[in-house]
Amino acid sequence: MRVPITVVILLVLAVVGGVWWRNTRQMDFMTPPTEARLEEIRVKVESSLPRTDRVDDAISVPPAVKKPEPPAPIVEQKQPIDVGDLSAPMTLQSYGELTPQGAAHLIELATALEEKSEPRRALLAWERVLDLTKPDDAQAATATAAITRLRATLPDWNLKPETAIAITLHAGAGKKLAKALTPVLNGVARDLERASAGIVKVKAMVTMGKTNSAAKSPTPVALWLAGPDAKSTATEVSSFTVETTEALRLEVLKTVFRLVQSHLGRATAFTPPAPLAGGEDPQAALNFRITRLCWNEFAAAMNQPLKKPVKP
């Protein structure tokens, strides 16, 4: 038996309508949802979505990208300087083999030796800065200050006066000044022995001229250094004048410094000390700016036989 098409259509509409009415009869399609309900829906939807690194809101400002921290600079660990064999015997020439490495290296070495409580070895290294390298003004000043400090705490290098190298400090002056010059020259001779740390034995000799200078004119003095006898080598002769006998000692010390400085610069491979600065104490310069090795070499040179001039 066939069901008429009209009945089928009515039945379909009745089923659909009944289901819709049954499930929606309590729903309010006209009243908009509250804000709380909308928020509840958003939270429910967000929790059901997979998390990503993207921003949730298309109009939100993306977070600032943090720049990576720069790598920490690599600090090279400086190797401690080799101070050598501290049990090896010391000589006046110690550390001379290191001078090709320059003044800065020797300053570092001398400082390290002081830190190791080796003041005698440190003093030798400081002296090499002055006499066998080419220090700049700052390096020379640093070395001189260290030598001054250490020399005050250490004994003389040579403690046997009988082994000191003999030289003679000569002065020539007129009768008027010779008497006053003799004790001054003797005192300077002792000063030079102390400056050399006992390496040099100095004899003072004053030669009196036959005539006196005019009463009102400055008195001239000739000064030079030589070996122990007339056949020994001598420095050049340097002259100066003084107005009063009180100025004698200072002028003698200045002149002796210039004579030794000139010889070191002219006749040796040592670095000669810089000229005296204005107002500088010449005694301090003789003590601390002329090294013990230079005093030894200077005195040894004065003890060489006098070279005869070559005949043409």
Side-chain angles (χ1 to χ4, degrees), residues 106-226:
L106 281 166
I107 289 173
E108 186 179 358
L109 172 62
T111 302
L113 287 167
E114 287 199 61
E115 291 172 351
K116 291 185 175 294
S117 299
E118 291 285 345
R120 296 180 66 200
R121 295 179 185 276
L123 177 56
L124 289 164
W126 283 118
E127 288 180 318
R128 294 299 81 79
V129 175
L130 293 186
D131 58 26
L132 285 178
T133 72
K134 304 291 184 183
D136 58 31
D137 291 344
Q139 290 169 332
T142 299
T144 301
I147 291 169
T148 303
R149 172 170 44 81
L150 291 173
R151 281 283 300 268
T153 66
L154 296 174
D156 284 345
W157 178 265
N158 181 32
L159 298 175
K160 298 179 179 179
E162 65 275 12
T163 64
I165 306 173
I167 62 174
T168 305
L169 174 59
H170 292 273
K175 294 179 181 179
K176 175 182 174 182
L177 196 60
K179 186 175 180 180
L181 183 59
T182 299
V184 171
L185 215 64
N186 285 327
V188 170
R190 304 292 79 77
D191 292 336
L192 298 182
E193 291 173 354
R194 287 188 290 272
S196 72
I199 293 169
V200 175
K201 178 66 176 178
V202 185
K203 176 183 177 182
M205 182 175 291
V206 178
T207 302
M208 186 182 300
K210 295 182 180 180
T211 59
N212 283 316
S213 59
K216 294 183 179 181
S217 63
T219 305
V221 178
L223 206 68
W224 69 99
L225 290 154

Side-chain angles (χ1 to χ4, degrees), residues 3-66:
V3 179
I5 188 63
T6 306
V7 174
V8 172
I9 293 172
L10 290 173
L11 289 173
V12 170
L13 291 174
V15 171
V16 172
V19 173
W20 182 84
W21 178 83
R22 183 175 182 276
N23 288 284
T24 61
R25 59 192 177 85
Q26 295 181 355
M27 294 183 181
D28 184 1
F29 291 100
M30 300 303 291
T31 304
T34 64
E35 187 63 33
R37 178 59 179 163
L38 289 174
E39 181 63 25
E40 181 182 349
I41 294 171
R42 279 197 293 266
V43 172
K44 185 176 181 180
V45 172
E46 287 176 358
S47 62
S48 66
L49 295 176
R51 294 185 177 275
T52 66
D53 292 335
R54 292 179 173 275
V55 295
D56 298 326
D57 190 346
I59 63 172
S60 298
V61 178
V65 178
K66 187 177 181 181

Side-chain angles (χ1 to χ4, degrees), residues 165-172 185 188-189 192-193 200-205 222-229 232-238 252-264 266 286 290 295 298-299 301-303 306:
I165 306 173
I167 62 174
T168 305
L169 174 59
H170 292 273
L185 215 64
V188 170
L192 298 182
E193 291 173 354
V200 175
K201 178 66 176 178
V202 185
K203 176 183 177 182
M205 182 175 291
L223 206 68
W224 69 99
L225 290 154
D229 56 54
S232 302
T233 299
T235 67
E236 60 191 357
V237 178
S238 183
V252 169
L253 288 170
K254 287 180 179 180
T255 304
V256 169
F257 180 86
R258 287 194 291 267
L259 289 171
V260 177
Q261 177 205 33
S262 175
H263 172 82
L264 293 173
R266 186 184 71 255
L286 288 163
I290 298 175
W295 276 116
F298 174 80
M302 294 298 103
N303 277 262
L306 183 63

